[in-house]
Amino acid sequence: GNAQSGTSTIKYMFSGDLGVPGLTVVAGYAKDEGFGITPADGKAKTVGAAYKVGNITVGAQRKIYEPIEAAATQDEFKTNEFGIGFAVNDSLSVSLNYIETDGDNNGTDFASKEKITGIGIGYNLGGIALELSYADVENVAGTTGADGEAFQLRTVQKF
């Protein structure tokens, strides 16, 4: 007969200021369980904090992620993110971000950590905002010497 397959997901998330004005703390956990098939369960954990003082916000976050897939080839990724943002005025903001990921693909460790350095500029035009970002990527997916750049321009509707 036909084997049924699918997944079920459980997520827990906390976000709050812990009674400290300007502070935002996040912590989360998610688990994907497969049924009808025999993969290893997927898991994701995250913890982070951001603090805003005047026009400046600084933050850091740690994520650990294992997608649902065959146990013998299950990938695992560990990411650290750091950022700082500055609101120049009510309309203009700039940010600088650094993201570093280590892990393994199909049981093989990354040859080098993937590193992303990015800068963003946002401009609020009232009902719509423009966001321009640039990212420099080193060692894409953990492959030494696989580097690249990315530009993105997007609009965000505000209702």
Side-chain angles (χ1 to χ4, degrees):
N2 258 349
Q4 295 291 316
S5 65
T7 59
S8 118
T9 301
I10 296 173
K11 294 182 182 179
Y12 302 97
M13 189 71 178
F14 168 81
S15 178
D17 65 7
L18 303 178
V20 179
L23 178 68
T24 302
V25 174
V26 296
Y29 174 81
K31 184 174 183 180
D32 294 323
E33 294 181 347
F35 57 89
I37 47 179
T38 57
D41 293 339
K43 296 184 268 278
K45 296 180 247 183
T46 187
V47 63
Y51 189 68
K52 182 177 182 195
V53 179
N55 292 355
I56 298 174
T57 302
V58 294
Q61 190 164 7
R62 167 88 164 166
K63 299 176 186 175
I64 300 173
Y65 173 63
E66 297 177 23
I68 191 168
E69 57 193 349
T73 60
Q74 189 169 41
D75 298 341
E76 180 181 56
F77 306 102
K78 296 176 182 172
T79 301
N80 295 313
E81 300 181 17
F82 305 94
I84 185 166
F86 178 68
V88 178
N89 54 43
D90 288 344
S91 299
L92 181 65
S93 63
V94 294
S95 63
L96 179 64
N97 300 289
Y98 177 76
I99 304 168
E100 186 176 272
T101 300
D102 200 1
D104 61 74
N105 281 324
N106 297 323
T108 302
D109 285 341
F110 279 11
S112 299
K113 291 180 182 177
E114 179 182 82
K115 299 174 184 179
I116 302 172
T117 305
I119 187 166
I121 299 171
Y123 192 77
N124 185 354
L125 300 167
I128 193 167
L130 295 175
E131 295 178 356
L132 174 66
S133 61
Y134 165 79
D136 177 69
V137 186
E138 295 179 40
N139 309 320
V140 175
T143 304
T144 304
D147 301 336
E149 296 177 310
F151 288 95
Q152 181 180 36
L153 175 63
R154 68 182 203 145
T155 57
V156 180
Q157 295 267 178
K158 297 186 176 187
F159 298 102

